[in-house]
Amino acid sequence: MKRLIALVLLFALALAQGLEAFWKAVEVPGGVCADGSPYRFYVSPGDPRKVVIDFQGGGACWDAATCGPESRTYRKRVDIQELGLAQGIYNRISVANPFYGWTHVFIPYCTGDLHVGRATVDYGGFKVHHQGARNVLAVLEYVFRNYTNPERIFVTGCSAGAYGAVFWADKVLSTYKSAQIAVCGDAGVGVRTEGFPGFNRWNSRLPELPGLSANPEVHEIYLALAKTYPKAVIAQYTTVLDGTQIFFYALMKGETSPSEATAKEWAIKAQEAVLRPAQAENYTFYLAPGSQHCILPRPELYTLKVGEVSFLDWLRALAEGKTPPRVRP
């Protein structure tokens, strides 16, 4: 009941004052979305010693079919629906939120390149600005300039934002050497087909970590982050049959609708990808049953429980700089 009353008050305030009551838009000179529209990001002020750096999700594209003007596989311009819904970690007035009172930096996603692109590509009659890296660098420069001595940092993102978080975490970790930092990818385990062209087509910015290959798998990046920064906590979450991740894996295989075989194949590879970095003590994961995509923007953040471990307690431990237990169904 208290949570319902808080949400009602939140929506009433948002209707009366707009998102500006909680979030400040910051324009990015030279920032650009896939369709050429301008880029901006959002900051919700809070304790400057505690900062959430949050990469938005929103699909991806890598060829004429997925990148076409009518394609619905990726965001083409800034869209901040998560902030308006104010659920999960975006509920800024709930004391149950592990990040209640923190500064929250929200990095919109509108470039179809998992936040790492450095290319403008002609797909045969139309161009897509895969300039996610340019946009993210502008946001991080703002963060580094305005929050010079934070004590705790939580780097995260849902879906495509999970890749943004893990691909850019090295930049945050190498800048804030004294802070307690947790990195958590939400529903982006990195299963892809052999020869997937996206990262090369986007001219992707790769993490600067020792031992990575020229085209690293995502599980390699998780492990490299954990080994290079042993004082940080590196984590990820996914459901075991994530419908959205399976859909994109099927697209990579040329299937417009995932076959049962493809879904099973993804599930096996996904669990392997989540488990592989487990040799690092400061790496953890939360595997949940079902097919739901992402949890951080959803109300289920406060109710999900697998075995004896609630997701809320698991996430709160990350926020406190602890390494929570590894959880699987």
Side-chain angles (χ1 to χ4, degrees), residues 286-310:
Y286 197 110
L287 279 170
S291 59
Q292 179 176 281
H293 186 54
C294 292
I295 190 169
L296 294 181
R298 297 180 180 275
E300 288 86 355
L301 181 156
Y302 298 97
T303 59
L304 175 66
K305 189 173 185 179
V306 175
E308 298 300 314
V309 183
S310 75

Side-chain angles (χ1 to χ4, degrees), residues 57-305:
C61 83
W62 55 87
D63 56 23
T66 55
C67 292
E70 303 304 317
S71 172
R72 297 185 178 182
T73 69
Y74 70 110
R75 298 181 195 260
K76 302 173 181 66
R77 54 180 56 217
V78 172
D79 173 1
I80 54 171
Q81 63 177 352
E82 292 92 333
L83 307 189
L85 291 173
Q87 297 179 339
I89 63 171
Y90 302 106
N91 184 342
R92 297 289 289 160
I93 66 171
S94 173
V95 295
N97 185 345
F99 307 101
Y100 175 77
W102 289 44
T103 293
H104 192 142
V105 180
F106 181 74
I107 306 176
Y109 173 54
C110 60
T111 49
D113 57 12
L114 307 185
H115 291 279
V116 296
R118 299 177 298 183
T120 295
V121 180
D122 189 326
Y123 286 101
F126 62 93
K127 292 183 178 180
V128 174
H129 299 278
H130 295 300
Q131 296 290 341
R134 179 198 300 183
N135 298 339
V136 172
L137 277 173
V139 179
L140 293 181
E141 287 170 0
Y142 171 95
V143 172
F144 299 159
R145 184 170 62 251
N146 288 277
Y147 304 96
T148 56
N149 194 32
E151 297 174 0
R152 293 184 188 173
I153 301 173
F154 185 65
V155 184
T156 195
C158 150
S159 192
Y163 299 99
V166 72
F167 271 76
W168 286 98
D170 66 302
K171 191 79 170 175
V172 178
L173 286 158
S174 64
T175 298
Y176 294 119
K177 295 182 173 63
S178 299
Q180 176 59 59
I181 299 176
V183 180
C184 182
D186 177 9
V189 301
V191 176
R192 66 192 191 204
T193 56
E194 186 175 351
F196 171 68
F199 291 105
N200 288 332
R201 190 154 290 160
W202 303 326
N203 187 28
S204 300
R205 184 269 176 187
L206 297 176
E208 298 173 2
L209 295 166
L212 285 184
S213 62
N215 188 23
E217 298 286 346
V218 172
H219 65 79
E220 294 179 63
I221 300 175
Y222 273 102
L223 181 58
L225 284 169
K227 287 185 173 181
T228 306
Y229 298 98
K231 293 182 180 180
V233 183
I234 312 300
Q236 62 176 317
Y237 163 92
T238 191
T239 52
V240 295
L241 284 171
D242 185 313
T244 298
Q245 292 188 73
I246 290 171
F247 169 77
F248 276 96
Y249 182 58
L251 280 184
M252 295 177 200
K253 296 178 67 176
E255 300 176 7
T256 56
S257 180
S259 65
E260 184 177 345
T262 290
K264 290 180 178 178
E265 185 178 291
W266 179 89
I268 293 170
K269 291 185 175 183
Q271 292 203 46
E272 290 176 352
V274 170
L275 293 174
R276 281 183 178 178
Q279 60 187 275
E281 292 184 0
N282 57 325
Y283 168 79
T284 189
F285 56 81
Y286 197 110
L287 279 170
S291 59
Q292 179 176 281
H293 186 54
C294 292
I295 190 169
L296 294 181
R298 297 180 180 275
E300 288 86 355
L301 181 156
Y302 298 97
T303 59
L304 175 66
K305 189 173 185 179

